[in-house]
Amino acid sequence: AVVREAAVRAWTIVSAPFDSAAITRGCTGLEDDDALVRLAAVECLAALTSRGDVRTNEAIHLISRRLEHEAGFIRLSAIDALQAVCAPDLEYAISEVLVRLQEGTCEGTRSAAVSALPIVATRGQEQALCGCQALLCSLDPQIRESAVHAICQVAVLSSDQIIDILGPLLLDDDHRVRTAVIDCFPTVVELNDPRVIDHVILAMDDVRYDVKKAAFYGIQRVARPGCS
Protein backbone atom coordinates (compact mmCIF):
# COMPACT_ATOMS: atom_id res chain seq x y z
CA ALA A 1 0.00 0.00 0.00
CA VAL A 2 2.86 2.39 0.78
CA VAL A 3 4.37 1.78 -2.65
CA ARG A 4 1.02 2.30 -4.37
CA GLU A 5 0.44 5.53 -2.48
CA ALA A 6 3.91 6.78 -3.42
CA ALA A 7 3.29 5.86 -7.05
CA VAL A 8 0.06 7.89 -7.14
CA ARG A 9 1.76 10.90 -5.59
CA ALA A 10 4.72 10.61 -7.98
CA TRP A 11 2.35 10.38 -10.93
CA THR A 12 0.73 13.59 -9.75
CA ILE A 13 4.05 15.42 -9.68
CA VAL A 14 5.22 14.39 -13.13
CA SER A 15 1.91 14.72 -14.98
CA ALA A 16 0.69 17.79 -16.80
CA PRO A 17 -2.66 19.33 -15.78
CA PHE A 18 -5.66 17.63 -17.40
CA ASP A 19 -3.52 14.74 -18.66
CA SER A 20 -6.01 12.00 -19.55
CA ALA A 21 -3.75 9.12 -18.58
CA ALA A 22 -3.00 10.68 -15.20
CA ILE A 23 -6.68 11.38 -14.54
CA THR A 24 -7.55 7.80 -15.43
CA ARG A 25 -4.83 6.55 -13.10
CA GLY A 26 -6.11 8.80 -10.33
CA CYS A 27 -9.64 7.47 -10.75
CA THR A 28 -8.33 3.92 -10.65
CA GLY A 29 -6.68 4.78 -7.34
CA LEU A 30 -10.12 5.57 -5.93
CA GLU A 31 -10.81 1.83 -6.08
CA ASP A 32 -7.78 0.81 -4.03
CA ASP A 33 -8.34 -1.24 -0.89
CA ASP A 34 -6.13 1.08 1.16
CA ALA A 35 -7.58 4.34 2.49
CA LEU A 36 -4.30 6.24 2.15
CA VAL A 37 -4.02 5.29 -1.52
CA ARG A 38 -7.60 6.47 -2.11
CA LEU A 39 -6.82 9.74 -0.32
CA ALA A 40 -3.75 10.20 -2.52
CA ALA A 41 -5.94 9.57 -5.56
CA VAL A 42 -8.40 12.28 -4.46
CA GLU A 43 -5.53 14.72 -3.99
CA CYS A 44 -4.10 13.69 -7.36
CA LEU A 45 -7.37 14.45 -9.15
CA ALA A 46 -7.67 17.80 -7.39
CA ALA A 47 -4.12 18.72 -8.47
CA LEU A 48 -4.64 17.69 -12.09
CA THR A 49 -7.92 19.56 -12.61
CA SER A 50 -9.36 23.00 -12.06
CA ARG A 51 -12.80 23.80 -10.67
CA GLY A 52 -15.07 25.20 -13.33
CA ASP A 53 -12.77 24.35 -16.25
CA VAL A 54 -14.60 22.36 -18.92
CA ARG A 55 -11.58 20.06 -19.19
CA THR A 56 -12.40 18.81 -15.70
CA ASN A 57 -15.50 17.10 -17.13
CA GLU A 58 -13.46 14.03 -18.07
CA ALA A 59 -12.49 13.54 -14.43
CA ILE A 60 -16.04 14.20 -13.26
CA HIS A 61 -17.37 11.51 -15.59
CA LEU A 62 -14.82 8.92 -14.48
CA ILE A 63 -15.32 9.75 -10.81
CA SER A 64 -19.11 9.59 -11.11
CA ARG A 65 -18.87 6.09 -12.51
CA ARG A 66 -17.36 5.05 -9.17
CA LEU A 67 -20.65 6.01 -7.51
CA GLU A 68 -21.92 2.76 -9.04
CA HIS A 69 -19.25 0.59 -7.42
CA GLU A 70 -20.48 -2.30 -5.30
CA ALA A 71 -18.15 -1.36 -2.43
CA GLY A 72 -19.46 1.40 -0.19
CA PHE A 73 -16.00 2.71 0.76
CA ILE A 74 -15.18 3.25 -2.91
CA ARG A 75 -18.44 5.14 -3.42
CA LEU A 76 -17.45 7.36 -0.48
CA SER A 77 -14.06 8.03 -2.08
CA ALA A 78 -15.84 9.03 -5.28
CA ILE A 79 -17.94 11.52 -3.30
CA ASP A 80 -14.76 12.95 -1.76
CA ALA A 81 -13.25 13.25 -5.22
CA LEU A 82 -16.28 15.08 -6.59
CA GLN A 83 -16.00 17.52 -3.72
CA ALA A 84 -12.34 18.06 -4.61
CA VAL A 85 -12.80 18.76 -8.32
CA CYS A 86 -16.32 20.17 -8.83
CA ALA A 87 -17.33 23.80 -8.91
CA PRO A 88 -20.76 24.48 -7.34
CA ASP A 89 -23.76 24.22 -9.67
CA LEU A 90 -21.77 22.84 -12.60
CA GLU A 91 -24.42 21.50 -14.98
CA TYR A 92 -22.30 18.61 -16.22
CA ALA A 93 -21.61 17.36 -12.70
CA ILE A 94 -25.26 17.66 -11.70
CA SER A 95 -26.28 15.62 -14.76
CA GLU A 96 -23.75 12.91 -13.90
CA VAL A 97 -25.12 12.60 -10.38
CA LEU A 98 -28.79 12.67 -11.42
CA VAL A 99 -28.19 9.80 -13.84
CA ARG A 100 -27.22 7.67 -10.85
CA LEU A 101 -30.67 8.21 -9.34
CA GLN A 102 -32.56 6.81 -12.30
CA GLU A 103 -33.93 3.40 -13.26
CA GLY A 104 -31.40 0.62 -13.52
CA THR A 105 -29.32 1.72 -10.54
CA CYS A 106 -28.97 -0.16 -7.28
CA GLU A 107 -29.82 1.15 -3.83
CA GLY A 108 -26.16 1.77 -2.95
CA THR A 109 -25.64 3.86 -6.07
CA ARG A 110 -28.75 5.92 -5.43
CA SER A 111 -27.72 6.50 -1.84
CA ALA A 112 -24.29 7.69 -2.99
CA ALA A 113 -25.92 9.98 -5.55
CA VAL A 114 -28.15 11.51 -2.87
CA SER A 115 -25.04 12.22 -0.79
CA ALA A 116 -23.18 13.64 -3.79
CA LEU A 117 -25.98 15.93 -4.94
CA PRO A 118 -25.48 18.73 -2.36
CA ILE A 119 -21.78 18.70 -3.26
CA VAL A 120 -22.43 19.56 -6.89
CA ALA A 121 -25.62 21.63 -6.45
CA THR A 122 -26.52 24.37 -4.00
CA ARG A 123 -30.02 24.69 -2.54
CA GLY A 124 -32.51 26.04 -5.00
CA GLN A 125 -30.47 24.98 -8.06
CA GLU A 126 -33.15 24.56 -10.72
CA GLN A 127 -31.56 21.77 -12.76
CA ALA A 128 -31.04 19.57 -9.71
CA LEU A 129 -34.48 20.24 -8.27
CA CYS A 130 -36.30 19.66 -11.56
CA GLY A 131 -34.33 16.48 -12.17
CA CYS A 132 -35.32 15.11 -8.77
CA GLN A 133 -38.95 16.08 -9.23
CA ALA A 134 -39.07 14.23 -12.54
CA LEU A 135 -38.01 11.06 -10.72
CA LEU A 136 -41.11 11.29 -8.51
CA CYS A 137 -43.06 10.10 -11.56
CA SER A 138 -41.09 6.84 -11.73
CA LEU A 139 -43.06 3.61 -11.55
CA ASP A 140 -40.37 2.23 -9.25
CA PRO A 141 -41.16 3.17 -5.62
CA GLN A 142 -37.50 2.85 -4.67
CA ILE A 143 -36.64 5.52 -7.23
CA ARG A 144 -39.37 7.77 -5.82
CA GLU A 145 -38.08 7.19 -2.30
CA SER A 146 -34.55 8.16 -3.34
CA ALA A 147 -35.94 11.22 -5.11
CA VAL A 148 -37.59 12.36 -1.87
CA HIS A 149 -34.25 12.25 -0.06
CA ALA A 150 -32.51 13.95 -2.98
CA ILE A 151 -35.05 16.78 -3.11
CA CYS A 152 -34.44 17.47 0.56
CA GLN A 153 -30.76 17.95 -0.25
CA VAL A 154 -31.32 20.69 -2.83
CA ALA A 155 -34.65 22.38 -2.05
CA VAL A 156 -34.71 25.77 -0.37
CA LEU A 157 -35.32 25.21 3.34
CA SER A 158 -38.73 26.08 4.79
CA SER A 159 -40.04 27.16 1.40
CA ASP A 160 -43.58 26.79 0.10
CA GLN A 161 -42.08 24.81 -2.75
CA ILE A 162 -40.66 22.03 -0.60
CA ILE A 163 -43.94 21.64 1.27
CA ASP A 164 -45.94 21.66 -1.96
CA ILE A 165 -43.68 18.94 -3.36
CA LEU A 166 -43.53 16.67 -0.33
CA GLY A 167 -47.06 17.07 1.05
CA PRO A 168 -48.90 15.22 -1.74
CA LEU A 169 -46.41 12.37 -1.52
CA LEU A 170 -47.99 11.35 1.78
CA LEU A 171 -50.65 9.82 -0.48
CA ASP A 172 -48.12 7.82 -2.50
CA ASP A 173 -49.05 4.20 -3.16
CA ASP A 174 -45.87 2.94 -1.53
CA HIS A 175 -45.48 3.11 2.24
CA ARG A 176 -41.71 3.59 2.00
CA VAL A 177 -42.21 6.81 0.06
CA ARG A 178 -44.71 8.07 2.63
CA THR A 179 -42.34 7.21 5.47
CA ALA A 180 -39.45 8.95 3.69
CA VAL A 181 -41.50 12.14 3.45
CA ILE A 182 -42.25 12.11 7.18
CA ASP A 183 -38.60 11.43 8.00
CA CYS A 184 -37.45 14.26 5.73
CA PHE A 185 -39.90 16.96 6.83
CA PRO A 186 -38.02 17.90 10.05
CA THR A 187 -34.80 18.40 8.09
CA VAL A 188 -36.21 20.95 5.65
CA VAL A 189 -38.82 22.97 7.57
CA GLU A 190 -38.92 25.11 10.68
CA LEU A 191 -40.49 23.97 13.92
CA ASN A 192 -44.22 24.61 14.39
CA ASP A 193 -44.96 25.20 10.72
CA PRO A 194 -48.74 24.55 10.71
CA ARG A 195 -48.71 23.29 7.11
CA VAL A 196 -46.25 20.54 7.99
CA ILE A 197 -47.92 19.67 11.28
CA ASP A 198 -51.24 19.16 9.46
CA HIS A 199 -49.58 16.82 6.97
CA VAL A 200 -47.91 14.74 9.66
CA ILE A 201 -51.10 14.52 11.77
CA LEU A 202 -52.99 13.17 8.75
CA ALA A 203 -50.27 10.55 8.32
CA MET A 204 -51.13 9.20 11.76
CA ASP A 205 -54.26 7.72 10.18
CA ASP A 206 -52.24 5.80 7.57
CA VAL A 207 -53.20 2.17 7.02
CA ARG A 208 -49.59 1.08 7.56
CA TYR A 209 -48.27 0.76 11.09
CA ASP A 210 -44.73 1.80 10.10
CA VAL A 211 -46.05 5.03 8.55
CA LYS A 212 -48.14 5.74 11.68
CA LYS A 213 -45.06 5.13 13.81
CA ALA A 214 -42.98 7.49 11.69
CA ALA A 215 -45.72 10.11 11.98
CA PHE A 216 -45.87 9.70 15.76
CA TYR A 217 -42.14 10.38 16.09
CA GLY A 218 -42.24 12.92 13.28
CA ILE A 219 -44.76 15.16 15.02
CA GLN A 220 -42.37 15.41 17.97
CA ARG A 221 -39.68 16.68 15.59
CA VAL A 222 -41.77 19.31 13.79
CA ALA A 223 -43.76 20.71 16.73
CA ARG A 224 -42.56 22.06 20.07
CA PRO A 225 -44.36 20.91 23.23
CA GLY A 226 -47.46 23.01 23.81
CA CYS A 227 -47.91 23.88 20.14
CA SER A 228 -51.59 23.96 19.28
Side-chain angles (χ1 to χ4, degrees):
V2 174
V3 175
R4 296 196 303 275
E5 179 189 358
V8 172
R9 296 192 183 281
W11 192 267
T12 306
I13 294 171
V14 302
S15 299
F18 304 106
D19 181 78
S20 292
I23 288 173
T24 299
R25 190 180 182 94
C27 288
T28 300
L30 295 175
E31 300 180 355
D32 197 276
D33 290 337
D34 189 84
L36 291 178
V37 177
R38 297 196 300 276
L39 176 60
V42 171
E43 294 172 354
C44 169
L45 291 166
L48 293 173
T49 58
S50 177
R51 293 175 184 268
D53 192 306
V54 67
R55 292 173 292 177
T56 302
N57 288 356
E58 177 186 5
I60 292 172
H61 173 68
L62 292 174
I63 293 168
S64 297
R65 287 173 58 183
R66 271 68 186 183
L67 295 174
E68 302 174 14
H69 201 281
E70 61 183 9
F73 65 88
I74 292 176
R75 297 195 296 269
L76 289 174
S77 291
I79 293 171
D80 290 339
L82 286 175
Q83 190 167 24
V85 306
C86 286
D89 297 334
L90 184 66
E91 291 184 2
Y92 184 83
I94 294 171
S95 296
E96 286 285 335
V97 172
L98 287 175
V99 165
R100 271 76 195 184
L101 285 169
Q102 296 176 4
E103 276 81 356
T105 56
C106 69
E107 183 179 355
T109 296
R110 293 194 301 274
S111 177
V114 170
S115 297
L117 196 58
I119 291 172
V120 299
T122 56
R123 289 194 176 275
Q125 208 283 339
E126 186 175 357
Q127 177 193 1
L129 194 54
C130 289
C132 293
Q133 283 186 262
L135 295 174
L136 294 175
C137 298
S138 171
L139 297 178
D140 186 341
Q142 293 182 337
I143 300 291
R144 299 198 302 275
E145 180 184 2
S146 295
V148 168
H149 291 290
I151 285 171
C152 292
Q153 298 284 1
V154 294
V156 177
L157 298 177
S158 298
S159 64
D160 290 337
Q161 183 184 46
I162 186 65
I163 296 172
D164 290 342
I165 293 172
L166 293 182
L169 292 174
L170 287 172
L171 300 177
D172 192 276
D173 291 339
D174 191 87
H175 68 96
R176 289 168 298 185
V177 178
R178 302 196 299 274
T179 302
V181 172
I182 296 169
D183 289 340
C184 287
F185 261 145
T187 68
V188 294
V189 299
E190 295 179 352
L191 279 172
N192 294 343
D193 188 315
R195 299 165 299 175
V196 177
I197 293 173
D198 289 345
H199 280 306
V200 177
I201 289 175
L202 288 174
M204 290 181 174
D205 293 327
D206 198 279
V207 295
R208 291 277 308 204
Y209 170 75
D210 47 354
V211 178
K212 290 181 179 180
K213 182 178 178 181
F216 174 78
Y217 288 108
I219 197 67
Q220 300 176 54
R221 297 171 63 198
V222 298
R224 288 191 178 94
C227 175
S228 59

